[in-house]
């Protein structure tokens, strides 16, 4: 079978000229030559042996990349989840922090100060096993498996509509606070309000 080689032209090739590029391609074609068996079968072991990775087919390459800059933080750094005591009761961290486990598994687990937890959490942790909390991530050190954050508020029992809904809105940064008086004053004050016939004549009725 024919062997097709794609070459990438760069500054080094420009320095040595087109003849050098042709010689280099010829050498690599020889390296990629396939052994042919008696019955015309093609034998190839461990892929083509090429010294220059740029000449390898894409199927043999693993593309890699590195994050160089965070342009914009899209996540609100707030998460809904549960709190529990640390497993190692003899550690110094046990006396200062609790573990926050987010419902969204894409968010890391977070160390939160015990001072942010309910006063009786250490003595009655089981009472809060099904209580939803909002935690905001403050930091995540490179050498730590867990982030650090602060508990913002208790939402209520998991599974109920209001706490679950408030948790979702908070996670996505949606402002669900009450409208201000200035906003409410923009609405019609004489109730019940109806659209005038003249306004209806100018609109397309999609009801």
């Amino acid at each position: 079978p024919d062997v097709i080689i794609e070459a990438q032209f760069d500054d080094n090739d420009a320095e040595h000229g087109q003849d050098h590029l042709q010689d280099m391609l010829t050498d690599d074609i020889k390296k990629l030559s396939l052994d042919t068996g008696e019955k015309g079968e093609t034998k190839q072991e461990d892929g083509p042996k090429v010294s220059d990775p740029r000449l390898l087919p894409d199927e043999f390459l693993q593309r890699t990349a590195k994050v160089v800059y965070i342009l914009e933080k899209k996540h609100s750094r707030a998460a809904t989840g549960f709190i529990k005591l640390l497993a190692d009761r003899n550690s110094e961290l046990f006396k200062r922090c609790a573990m926050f486990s987010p419902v969204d598994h894409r968010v890391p687990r977070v160390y939160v100060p015990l001072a942010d937890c309910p006063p009786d959490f250490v003595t009655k942790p089981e009472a809060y096993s099904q209580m939803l909390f909002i935690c905001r991530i403050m930091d995540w050190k490179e050498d730590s498996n867990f982030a650090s954050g602060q508990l913002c508020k208790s939402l209520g029992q998991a599974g109920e509509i209001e706490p679950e809904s408030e948790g979702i809105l908070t996670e996505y940064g949606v402002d669900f606070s009450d409208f201000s008086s200035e906003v409410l004053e923009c609405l019609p004050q004489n109730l019940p309000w109806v659209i005038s016939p003249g306004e209806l004549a100018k609109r397309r009725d999609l009801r």
Side-chain angles (χ1 to χ4, degrees), residues 75-80 134 136 153 155 161-177:
H75 197 272
S76 64
R77 299 299 187 271
T80 306
I134 288 288
R136 190 170 298 277
K153 62 181 298 187
L155 297 177
I161 294 179
E162 290 187 6
E164 297 279 1
S165 300
E166 184 177 347
I168 294 173
L169 293 173
T170 304
E171 286 182 2
Y172 285 92
V174 179
D175 183 7
F176 56 94
S177 58

Side-chain angles (χ1 to χ4, degrees), residues 78-142:
T80 306
F82 305 93
I83 57 174
K84 57 184 179 180
L85 294 175
L86 299 182
D88 188 1
R89 295 178 176 269
N90 297 323
S91 66
E92 190 65 28
L93 196 61
F94 179 87
K95 303 175 183 177
R96 297 185 289 106
C97 297
M99 178 64 70
F100 175 83
S101 297
V103 175
D104 187 349
H105 296 292
R106 296 172 299 177
V107 181
R109 286 181 289 177
V110 186
Y111 286 133
V112 293
L114 283 177
D116 295 346
C117 301
D120 58 344
F121 168 68
V122 176
T123 57
K124 299 179 180 179
E126 65 281 354
Y128 299 94
S129 60
Q130 295 300 316
M131 185 76 68
L132 280 176
F133 290 86
I134 288 288
C135 174
R136 190 170 298 277
I137 296 175
M138 307 303 294
D139 190 21
W140 192 2
K141 298 185 182 300
E142 295 180 359

